[in-house]
């Protein structure tokens, strides 16, 4: 993960592990931009130049901190460390000045005729070779302290140069896309390579003339050349044809080229990416793409560490264990990588949100599939978290309010956890639920002392959950049946009622703390009262007397209300099609309904609609006949009249027929 400084500071406040992390080198950064970075030959010092203001910083790897910092008059194009440590440094400035520094500081400054772009140091002769915006290669001899005759090339300008450390061959890259090789001993050109023509392949797309932007020797016979169009050409000095042409496919100039001998790799870098590939086959080994543009890359000698100068204040340090071991001054990195391999952790993308195709359909973003806004991964996509929040806010404008309420609710729950914890009771039969909870706690306490057979709890049983949800199952403690069946309920549940009131107060006032009153356990009281049978009988009698007194008081109150009530006549309107019936029928029916079942049975027996008889086995047998309603009686009477009328009509019709026959026979 590449995290910004702001995110790192936020993580340091929240995460303890991040606060415990140690930076590899303290203050390994520049005020604005870092341009070049190099390591001394002994590996102890790392030197980097940057701006603004132009400066050079030296870091001591043994102390993992900054050793010194020196400000300069102008920006540095490139620099070279001539000694094993930092005691002799040469800087090439962008204003044609060459500045020499010793261990104590600034030593000497001189100037070249044309603007310089690169330089190399020839150790056998102590000569500095400068190339730049000129066809000449300027030579400055450090032993004599004077300029020597320059080398005249065929190029209009020269960009880069390098000297082979084995046989001292000097090579310079030109803007025409050629590499000229010179022998410093004879000061004659010994070879010419047309890299621009050889860099054009069937797969490459080149819009302009390639110029040489990077040059590096490896051993006596191998040379790598980087072009401004993004190609790297690998040459054998015995041939003018490249062994291999590697294209970065970005079309950006190659900044630097390094050889990694242990794995036969070449590390080539442009401003966007560092590619590591096999120098024999050209197969990609791996790639490294930093967040910011690259200015320079340095491979720490005999290790797997890379140092990068970026277009950002922070300088990059990357450790790749496959390339080699960690340097001696940070050998603990090997232990860290071994631990990471043993305990692999999944990568967390802080700046991206993983969404599935269904999520995209809900957000209305299916048209973004295949665009750079979505990165396909497994069964979904990664999208920028800012885009996700914006779209979600448009789809659901109240999402932030819901999120805010959830956060507030979570904070309240966290504060509640520090209070006195009381049980959450159901809405119905709270006292019964509290009693069951207390019994369950007593069972759990006794289970520590001896093994108790565990029985199912009513509160957790689905068969009885309706009893604590439906108000129809609420136990009425003021009813006559409850008071007679539970005569000691008032004494037994005193403590439980106090608890219940405490729970209700906490539900209504969530922000106030209430302490549970201490007292004698209810189970102890119930056990004492249940053991005393006489007390139980006396309590039953007492409850019965109280019920009788309450009933007597209620009757007296009803009688007073009846006496005070003044009856007034009421008038009713008869609906059309209905007959008026006396109120006596309804009154007698109401009186009959007010009587007990025994009295109603006696009345039915007198009327003959009901008969009760004893059977042979000693039980009783009851038979009854259904009463006909007034409507049924009327219907039966109407049917009877209709039948009589039809009989009468048949008789009269029969008489007429017989008389007609008699008349015909007479005539």
């Amino acid at each position: 993960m590449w995290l910004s400084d702001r995110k790192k500071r936020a993580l340091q406040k929240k995460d303890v592990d991040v606060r415990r992390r140690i930076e590899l080198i303290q203050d390994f950064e520049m005020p604005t931009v870092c341009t070049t970075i190099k390591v001394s030959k002994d590996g102890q010092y790392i030197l980097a130049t940057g701006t603004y203001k132009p400066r050079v910083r030296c870091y001591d790897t043994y102390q993992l901190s900054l050793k010194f910092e020196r400000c300069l008059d102008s920006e540095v194009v490139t620099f070279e460390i001539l000694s094993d440590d930092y005691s002799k440094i040469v800087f090439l400035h962008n204003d044609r000045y060459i500045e020499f520094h010793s261990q104590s500081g600034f030593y000497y400054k001189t100037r070249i005729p044309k603007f310089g772009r690169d330089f190399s140091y020839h150790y056998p002769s102590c000569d500095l070779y400068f190339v730049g915006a000129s066809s000449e290669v300027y030579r400055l001899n450090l032993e004599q302290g004077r300029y020597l005759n320059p080398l005249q090339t065929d190029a209009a300008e020269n960009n880069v140069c390098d000297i082979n450390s084995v046989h001292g061959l000097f090579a310079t890259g030109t803007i025409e896309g050629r590499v000229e090789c010179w022998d410093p001993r004879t000061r004659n050109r010994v070879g010419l390579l047309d890299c621009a023509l050889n860099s054009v392949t069937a797969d490459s797309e080149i819009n302009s003339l390639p110029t040489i932007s990077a040059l590096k020797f490896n051993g006596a016979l191998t040379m790598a050349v980087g072009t401004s169009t993004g190609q790297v050409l690998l040459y054998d000095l015995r041939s003018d044809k490249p062994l291999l042409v590697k294209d970065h496919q970005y079309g950006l100039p190659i900044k630097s080229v390094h050889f990694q001998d242990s794995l036969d790799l070449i590390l080539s870098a442009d401003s966007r990416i560092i590619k590591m590939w096999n120098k024999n086959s050209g197969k990609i080994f791996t790639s490294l793409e930093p967040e910011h543009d690259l200015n320079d890359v340095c491979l720490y000698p005999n290790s797997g560490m890379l140092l990068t100068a970026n277009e950002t204040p922070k300088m990059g340090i990357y450790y790749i264990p496959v390339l080699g071991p960690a340097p001696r001054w940070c050998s603990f990195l090997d232990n860290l990588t071994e631990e990471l391999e043993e305990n692999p952790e999944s990568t967390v993308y802080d700046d991206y949100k993983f969404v599935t195709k269904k999520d995209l359909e809900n957000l209305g973003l299916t048209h973004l599939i295949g665009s750079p806004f979505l990165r396909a991964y497994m069964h979904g996509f990664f999208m920028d978290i800012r885009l996700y929040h914006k779209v979600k806010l448009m789809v659901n404008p109240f999402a932030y309010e819901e999120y805010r309420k959830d956060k507030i609710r979570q904070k309240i729950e966290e504060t509640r956890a520090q209070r006195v914890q009381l049980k959450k009771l159901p809405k119905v039969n709270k006292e019964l639920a509290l009693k069951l909870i207390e019994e369950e706690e007593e069972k759990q306490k006794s289970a520590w002392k001896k093994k108790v057979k565990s029985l199912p709890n009513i509160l957790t049983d689905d068969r009885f959950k309706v009893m604590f949800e439906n108000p129809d199952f609420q136990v009425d403690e003021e009813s006559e049946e409850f008071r007679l069946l539970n005569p000691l309920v008032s004494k037994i549940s005193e403590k439980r009622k106090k608890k219940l009131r405490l729970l209700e107060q906490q539900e209504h006032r969530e922000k106030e703390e209430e302490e549970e009153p201490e007292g004698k356990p209810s189970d102890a009281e119930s056990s004492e009262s249940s053991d005393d049978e006489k007390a139980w009988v006396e309590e039953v009698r007492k409850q019965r007397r109280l019920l009788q007194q309450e009933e007597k008081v209620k009757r007296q109150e009803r009688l007073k209300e009846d006496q005070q009530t003044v009856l007034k006549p009421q008038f009713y309107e008869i609906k059309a099609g209905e007959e008026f019936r006396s109120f006596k029928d309804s009154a007698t029916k109401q009186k009959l309904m007010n009587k007990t079942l025994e009295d109603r049975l006696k009345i039915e027996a007198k009327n003959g609609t009901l008969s009760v008889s004893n059977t042979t086995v000693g039980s009783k047998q009851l038979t009854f006949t259904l009463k006909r309603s007034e409507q049924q009686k009327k219907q039966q009477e109407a049917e009877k009249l209709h039948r009589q009328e039809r009989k009468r009509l048949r008789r009269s019709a029969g008489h007429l027929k017989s008389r007609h026959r008699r008349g015909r026979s007479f005539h």
Side-chain angles (χ1 to χ4, degrees), residues 144-185:
Q144 301 176 19
R146 65 185 181 91
Y147 283 100
L148 304 178
N149 291 331
L151 304 178
Q152 183 65 44
T153 64
D154 294 339
E157 295 178 1
N158 296 280
N159 292 332
V160 291
C161 63
D162 193 23
I163 293 178
N164 194 304
S165 59
V166 178
H167 46 68
L169 183 66
F170 172 75
T172 176
T174 67
I175 62 170
E176 291 85 6
R178 297 175 181 176
V179 174
E180 296 187 11
C181 298
W182 294 74
D183 188 354
R185 296 170 297 181

Side-chain angles (χ1 to χ4, degrees), residues 173 325 339 372 396 413 461 475 479 542 577 591 610 616 665:
E339 292 176 2
N396 186 8
E413 292 297 333
D461 198 336
V475 176
S479 64
K542 182 180 178 181
K591 288 181 181 179
L610 182 69
T616 56
S665 62

Side-chain angles (χ1 to χ4, degrees), residues 119 165 277 332 344 408 454 518 603 610:
F119 73 95
S165 59
W277 44 280
F332 58 87
I408 294 173
S454 61
E518 297 181 357
I603 294 171
L610 182 69

Side-chain angles (χ1 to χ4, degrees), residues 256-509:
S256 65
V257 179
H258 295 276
F259 288 87
Q260 212 280 340
D261 296 328
S262 61
L263 297 177
D264 291 336
L265 296 178
I266 295 178
L267 281 70
S268 55
D270 55 25
S271 60
R272 182 179 295 182
I273 194 170
I274 303 172
K275 287 195 175 184
M276 307 174 195
W277 44 280
N278 189 279
K279 67 179 183 180
N280 299 319
S281 62
K283 185 179 179 181
I284 285 289
F285 178 74
T286 187
S287 297
L288 184 63
E289 189 172 358
E291 184 179 1
H292 302 279
D293 290 345
L294 294 167
N295 289 328
D296 192 15
V297 177
C298 177
L299 179 63
Y300 197 93
N302 303 320
S303 73
M305 181 173 287
L306 285 174
L307 307 173
T308 62
N310 311 317
E311 285 287 329
T312 182
K314 287 283 185 180
M315 293 180 281
I317 302 179
Y318 304 101
Y319 175 53
I320 306 173
V322 183
L323 297 182
R328 184 174 58 180
W329 51 273
C330 58
S331 58
F332 58 87
L333 290 178
D334 290 328
N335 298 331
L336 292 176
T337 52
E338 289 176 3
E339 292 176 2
L340 290 173
E341 289 177 358
E342 292 175 359
N343 301 318
E345 296 181 358
S346 58
T347 306
V348 179
Y349 295 89
D350 287 344
D351 297 332
Y352 294 92
K353 171 73 175 177
F354 181 79
V355 291
T356 60
K357 194 171 183 180
K358 188 176 181 181
D359 296 336
L360 292 176
E361 292 176 356
N362 296 333
L363 296 173
L365 299 177
T366 52
H367 61 282
L368 294 181
I369 296 176
S371 66
F373 294 102
L374 297 177
R375 299 185 182 181
Y377 183 77
M378 294 179 67
H379 62 284
F381 306 90
F382 275 112
M383 67 183 300
D384 194 289
I385 191 69
R386 294 170 295 179
L387 175 62
Y388 175 78
H389 286 320
K390 285 182 180 179
V391 176
K392 192 174 181 182
L393 186 61
M394 293 171 64
V395 174
N396 186 8
F398 304 102
Y400 175 74
E401 291 296 330
E402 296 174 0
Y403 170 77
R404 184 171 172 272
K405 290 179 181 178
D406 291 339
K407 283 294 181 183
I408 294 173
R409 194 179 299 110
Q410 290 177 7
K411 291 290 183 182
I412 293 173
E413 292 297 333
E414 290 176 1
T415 55
R416 283 181 185 171
Q418 302 174 358
R419 302 178 181 175
V420 179
Q421 295 295 322
L422 297 176
K423 295 97 179 171
K424 188 176 181 181
L425 299 178
K427 296 181 180 179
V428 182
N429 291 326
K430 293 183 178 180
E431 190 170 351
L432 177 61
L434 186 60
K435 178 183 176 183
L436 295 173
I437 291 173
E438 290 178 355
E439 291 177 355
E440 188 67 23
E441 290 178 354
E442 291 297 328
K443 287 180 183 179
Q444 292 178 358
K445 290 178 181 178
S446 60
W448 290 97
K449 300 178 181 179
K450 59 181 179 179
K451 293 183 179 180
V452 180
K453 186 178 180 181
S454 61
L455 297 174
N457 191 0
I458 296 178
L459 289 171
T460 58
D461 198 336
D462 293 336
R463 297 176 295 174
F464 302 99
K465 67 178 182 179
V466 184
M467 188 170 64
F468 302 100
E469 296 176 357
N470 194 345
D472 296 337
F473 291 92
Q474 176 66 46
V475 176
D476 186 9
E477 297 183 2
E478 301 298 328
S479 64
E480 180 180 351
E481 293 82 2
F482 182 82
R483 293 172 66 180
L484 291 176
L485 292 174
N486 300 274
L488 300 177
V489 70
S490 58
K491 286 188 177 181
I492 295 171
S493 59
E494 283 182 2
K495 179 175 176 291
R496 194 176 300 124
K497 285 183 177 179
K498 290 181 181 179
K499 275 189 181 180
L500 190 60
R501 286 195 297 271
L502 187 62
L503 285 170
E504 290 176 353
Q505 289 176 5
Q506 188 186 16
E507 290 178 359
H508 293 300
R509 299 180 302 168

Side-chain angles (χ1 to χ4, degrees), residues 2-6 8 27-37 48-52 55 57 59 271 289-296 307-318:
W2 316 111
L3 299 179
S4 62
D5 295 339
R6 185 177 181 182
K8 285 182 180 178
D27 296 331
F28 196 65
E29 59 184 10
M30 284 287 170
T32 308
V33 173
C34 181
T35 55
T36 54
I37 185 169
T49 61
T51 189
Y52 178 79
R55 68 191 65 209
R57 285 184 174 181
Y59 296 90
S271 60
E289 189 172 358
E291 184 179 1
H292 302 279
D293 290 345
L294 294 167
N295 289 328
D296 192 15
L307 307 173
T308 62
N310 311 317
E311 285 287 329
T312 182
K314 287 283 185 180
M315 293 180 281
I317 302 179
Y318 304 101

Side-chain angles (χ1 to χ4, degrees), residues 189-205:
R189 190 174 70 184
V190 295
L192 181 65
L193 296 174
D194 192 353
C195 300
L197 183 62
N198 294 324
S199 64
V200 179
T201 59
D203 300 330
S204 61
E205 296 181 2

